Amino acid sequence: MNESVSGHDTPELVHLLADLLQQQGRMMATAESCTGGLIAGACTDLSGSSNWFERGFVTYSNEAKTELLGVDAALIADHGAVSEEVARAMAEGAVARSRAQVAVAVTGVAGPTGGSPEKPVGTVWFGWSVAGNVRTERRRFDGDRAAVRAATVRHALQTLVDLMKA
């Protein structure tokens, strides 16, 4: 099923997220593969983000996921880098290897190459960790590489805002 992301624009989402994190006294980390740091970049575009944004991990290679986030190499071998298991481990690793209490992780196939019948271009697995609770979700976005990456950033932030409000 293909999905698009609607609702808030990215800067508005970052403002909402910043307010929630500061109100709750929490710090955030990102663990990004297919977005290559775009989520961290969107967060740090906001002046004062050092009050709530702790760090970002860009773990594009499988080795980086293992070395920086502690994702078990066997998990990647068994399920693939674009999987629920790896997204969960990335989110957990971002919290464990930072001073953040909140993390978002993304791993996917932005395209135009790299897709497969099981994981077509536009497939993204998300992981969110909020105060020890981890949620994962799979989405498939339409469009070119830039569109898939932009939709991934918006969905990652929107869902984190929703989880922080819960």
Side-chain angles (χ1 to χ4, degrees), residues 2-160:
N2 295 342
E3 300 185 39
S4 63
V5 174
S6 59
H8 300 99
D9 67 11
T10 300
E12 184 180 352
L13 287 170
V14 172
H15 277 279
L16 289 169
L17 181 59
D19 289 345
L20 288 165
L21 285 161
Q22 289 178 98
Q23 288 166 13
Q24 296 176 20
R26 294 180 176 166
M27 296 293 284
M28 172 187 171
T30 60
E32 302 180 65
S33 186
C34 62
T35 50
L38 292 174
I39 299 169
C43 290
T44 58
D45 275 347
L46 181 62
S47 179
S49 57
S50 60
N51 293 324
W52 53 270
F53 186 84
E54 209 275 323
R55 72 183 69 184
F57 298 91
V58 177
T59 56
Y60 209 71
S61 71
N62 292 341
E63 292 79 9
K65 289 173 183 64
T66 299
E67 291 169 14
L68 297 176
L69 298 171
V71 176
D72 188 339
L75 202 64
I76 297 171
D78 291 347
H79 301 281
V82 181
S83 64
E84 178 177 18
E85 294 81 2
V86 170
R88 174 180 294 277
M90 288 172 67
E92 291 170 341
V95 170
R97 295 183 177 216
S98 71
R99 291 183 298 276
Q101 302 79 35
V102 174
V104 60
V106 295
T107 181
V109 185
T113 61
S116 68
E118 300 81 29
K119 297 173 187 176
V121 168
T123 301
V124 180
W125 272 101
F126 295 83
W128 297 272
S129 179
V130 178
N133 297 312
V134 180
R135 177 180 166 196
T136 57
E137 182 180 11
R138 177 189 177 275
R139 287 284 181 113
R140 179 154 179 256
F141 301 111
D142 287 326
D144 63 10
R145 183 176 181 82
V148 168
R149 288 164 44 116
T152 299
V153 170
R154 284 191 306 274
H155 184 68
L157 294 170
Q158 179 66 66
T159 303
L160 188 52

